[in-house]
Amino acid sequence: MKLSVEISKYPLAEDYKGPIQAFIDELAQQAGLHIITNTMSTQIFGDYDEVMQALQHCMRWSMQTYGKLVFVCKFIPGDLRP
């Protein structure tokens, strides 16, 4: 099954750009994903299991590396890339 995810990360710190970019860079290293970024969010497309494994890894890594932060996500079945 294919999955589309829209995710936004909000670091609870004054320096927020670095942690956001690091999260996107970590996602980009994961195999099997198609990633589109814009000024508001990151969109991730791919096989359900691959997307969920990548998100689990990258979100955990980000929390361990940067501490307190908020993720806001939308999960939509199917490949809805533009």
Side-chain angles (χ1 to χ4, degrees):
M1 178 170 83
K2 297 294 183 185
L3 182 65
S4 298
V5 177
E6 182 177 63
I7 186 167
S8 298
K9 176 182 174 179
Y10 301 97
L12 300 178
E14 287 187 36
D15 175 30
Y16 60 90
K17 290 182 181 180
I20 292 170
Q21 187 60 55
F23 176 74
I24 294 168
D25 292 344
E26 188 71 17
L27 267 177
Q29 294 179 29
Q30 308 305 305
L33 304 181
H34 181 81
I35 300 170
I36 299 172
T37 60
N38 61 53
T39 57
M40 299 290 292
S41 65
T42 299
Q43 298 172 346
I44 307 159
F45 307 93
D47 178 72
Y48 179 91
D49 291 329
E50 290 176 347
V51 171
M52 294 304 289
Q53 288 174 356
L55 283 174
Q56 180 181 1
H57 165 76
C58 293
M59 291 172 71
R60 179 185 203 117
W61 171 84
S62 192
M63 291 175 193
Q64 290 174 332
T65 303
Y66 295 104
K68 293 184 180 179
L69 50 92
V70 175
F71 284 104
V72 176
C73 305
K74 297 176 189 174
F75 296 89
I76 306 164
D79 188 336
L80 300 178
R81 70 180 101 171

